[in-house]
Amino acid sequence: MARHTKLILFASLAAVWVAGCSGGDSGSSSSSSSGSSTGSGSTGGETTGSGSTGGGATGSGSTGSGSTGGELGPGAAFKCDSSGKDAWDTYGVTAFVAVNESIFSHVTSEISANGSTNVGDSFSLIGTSGHDDLPAFKGNLAAFLVYAYGGPSSITYTDGVTYTGPQDMVAIHTGMHITSDQYDYFVANVVVPALTDNGVPTGDITSCFAPVVTDAAFKASIVGH
Amino acid sequence: MRRAVKWTGGSLVGLAVLLTAVIAFAHTRPGRPVLRLLSRVYWPKGAGCPFGYDKIATPAQRTAAQLRFARTHAGAALAKARPALGFTFDVTRRSDVLAWAKANHVACSPGANGNDLGCTQVPGALIPIGAQALSAGALWFDFGRDGALISLVAVRRAPTAAQISAAFAAFTSSESRATGSAAFATTGNGSAAWLSGGLLRQASAEFRARDYYALARATHMTHDYLLTETYRSLAPAPDAPALSLR
């Protein structure tokens, strides 16, 4: 009897733990939750994982793997002007890899210019004890972007490792005290240039990329924690 | 023997339950402080986010970064002037900025938010751009190895496209005069009509001189328009002018 009680208690707590880590906390405003005011489009539909149907994506190096869940990211609800499809279905894997690499390039440029000014120096921690190495770091960011913009909830990145897209943005940013000005600076000086550098037209930035990063709930999941 | 195994197994299960309970609680809203504490204990330099904003470089590191940047971004000719919102590169010191802030009731935090010195809610009238006084914004200062100003970033806003467009035009005009040349690179369109056409529409202009660099981006955000300006000294001026503060 006592053993059964322990097992039930353990299972219950484990369930709470898993829910909390996966954004199930109703107060988290995590990008992976469907509580975003962008309208997450989490209709329970299965993502196929292929994704790269447009934009001439050939899947060089990185592939979208099978989705591990039915939830769609918030960007799935927004259609690009150029295609009438969401960003993932419009641009596909090659473009997402390119934009992801470009984000790193712009951050590196910021660091080169300022040391840690404006973007912090967490990048300098990559590969150090207790932190992701560079490929893992890139893979995690890519998985998040792919998921957030309508792609599968997990991907296999260029390093051959599978990464999960839905991430608890509040937990990740807790303790960093990121301000609204810093967030907006990052969007204006890293995100937009990364998109334009890779040939994403202005109309598509506005229609299918901007709604996610300018969404108040998404911003709130990063700012002020 | 059997009793010892039972006792050990029970203890392990109990410990697992306790840890699970703590971590589960840490991921609830009331438990956020616990999560923060755990993060500090196990990841003292920040956990995972690539854009931490919370670390501060040393003056020597900033000077090294300044030199690295100069190697790839310097123009050919010396600038005629090196505008920096009323502050003076290679002359203005942290104590000067703090005195200016105190005199103008501006809140600045030394070392806050990843910058050497960050000032928030700076009234637009204190840092006018052309004829425009934009909404209050942030100023992020960095000082080099000798303690003098080497970089200044301004982040400020305007409620209308017309205001941000005029401010952007004032920036490009001022920088053209200062560097003696047209913009090194531009993107987008700085007109109010174009910027107002959609979210994240953006215009940028970059100016390069041998000893000076300036970049501005005007961006359509959700509820307003954002102007980010970056001003950098690329090399100490040989005949730096006297301290000039508003």
Side-chain angles (χ1 to χ4, degrees):
Chain A
M1 180 62 188
R3 190 179 299 165
H4 286 143
T5 306
K6 279 179 185 172
L7 279 173
I8 290 167
L9 178 62
F10 182 81
S12 303
L13 288 170
V16 172
W17 182 7
V18 169
C21 288
S22 62
D25 170 20
S26 61
S28 73
S29 298
S30 164
S31 64
S32 61
S33 77
S34 58
S36 163
S37 64
T38 57
S40 71
S42 55
T43 56
E46 283 293 323
T47 52
T48 64
S50 65
S52 55
T53 56
T58 57
S60 63
S62 174
T63 56
S65 72
S67 169
T68 56
E71 187 181 10
L72 293 172
F78 301 101
K79 309 307 176 192
C80 298
D81 277 356
S82 67
S83 65
K85 301 174 184 174
D86 66 33
W88 172 251
D89 282 340
T90 301
Y91 290 97
V93 66
T94 302
F96 269 76
V97 170
V99 168
N100 191 54
E101 295 291 330
S102 191
I103 285 173
F104 274 78
S105 170
H106 280 278
V107 171
T108 302
S109 183
E110 278 282 344
I111 290 172
S112 174
N114 302 297
S116 61
T117 304
N118 311 332
V119 294
D121 73 353
S122 290
F123 269 77
S124 66
L125 301 176
I126 293 171
T128 61
S129 176
H131 298 273
D132 288 342
D133 59 16
L134 185 59
F137 208 96
K138 285 183 175 180
N140 278 318
L141 182 59
F144 172 74
L145 292 175
V146 165
Y147 163 75
Y149 284 102
S153 58
S154 67
I155 63 163
T156 302
Y157 200 56
T158 52
D159 57 354
V161 176
T162 298
Y163 297 95
T164 302
Q167 295 166 25
D168 187 339
M169 300 303 278
V170 173
I172 287 171
H173 295 90
T174 292
M176 294 187 173
H177 311 293
I178 294 171
T179 66
S180 176
D181 285 332
Q182 287 172 326
Y183 179 85
D184 287 346
Y185 178 90
F186 179 77
V187 169
N189 288 273
V190 174
V191 176
V192 175
L195 291 168
T196 54
D197 287 356
N198 284 285
V200 177
T202 301
D204 281 1
I205 292 176
T206 294
S207 57
C208 57
F209 284 97
V212 174
V213 292
T214 60
D215 172 58
F218 179 72
K219 182 176 175 179
S221 73
I222 294 174
V223 168
H225 300 290
Chain B
M1 178 65 183
R2 186 181 285 179
R3 196 171 174 182
V5 170
K6 263 188 175 178
W7 188 88
T8 305
S11 298
L12 286 174
V13 169
L15 187 63
V17 167
L18 182 66
L19 281 174
T20 303
V22 169
I23 293 171
F25 172 72
H27 281 82
T28 64
R29 177 172 277 185
R32 292 287 178 211
V34 178
L35 184 66
R36 204 171 298 134
L37 184 65
L38 287 173
S39 296
R40 283 185 188 150
V41 170
Y42 289 103
W43 301 280
K45 290 187 173 178
C49 178
F51 318 118
Y53 299 104
D54 57 343
K55 305 302 185 299
I56 301 162
T58 65
Q61 287 172 323
R62 292 194 191 285
T63 296
Q66 177 194 24
L67 296 176
R68 279 199 304 272
F69 185 83
R71 279 201 290 273
T72 53
H73 291 78
L78 287 171
K80 295 174 180 173
R82 301 195 297 168
L85 301 178
F87 301 94
T88 307
F89 282 127
D90 307 308
V91 172
T92 299
R93 307 181 79 80
R94 177 197 295 267
S95 56
D96 299 322
V97 176
L98 289 173
W100 165 85
K102 188 176 181 185
N104 291 287
H105 309 290
V106 170
C108 298
S109 302
N113 297 322
N115 297 102
D116 221 359
L117 186 62
C119 304
T120 56
Q121 295 295 306
V122 180
L126 285 177
I127 45 173
I129 180 164
Q132 297 293 313
L134 300 181
S135 303
L139 292 179
W140 300 331
F141 298 86
D142 286 310
F143 303 91
R145 194 168 42 199
D146 62 356
L149 181 67
I150 59 172
S151 169
L152 173 60
V153 173
V155 181
R156 40 190 169 163
R157 302 163 194 279
T160 69
Q163 284 175 291
I164 215 73
S165 176
F168 184 74
F171 169 87
T172 55
S173 173
S174 165
E175 295 304 323
S176 289
R177 285 196 304 274
T179 58
S181 63
F184 174 82
T186 60
T187 65
N189 179 332
S191 73
W194 191 82
L195 286 170
S196 64
L199 277 176
L200 294 189
R201 280 203 175 186
Q202 184 179 83
S204 72
E206 178 185 359
F207 292 86
R208 296 183 177 191
R210 194 193 308 169
D211 56 347
Y212 175 71
Y213 175 90
L215 166 69
R217 288 190 168 104
T219 309
H220 183 166
M221 305 303 284
T222 313
H223 301 298
D224 56 12
Y225 294 82
L226 187 77
L227 183 70
T228 60
E229 302 148 79
T230 301
Y231 304 94
R232 299 187 200 290
S233 162
L234 300 188
D239 52 350
L243 179 65
S244 166
L245 281 176
R246 239 167 261 289

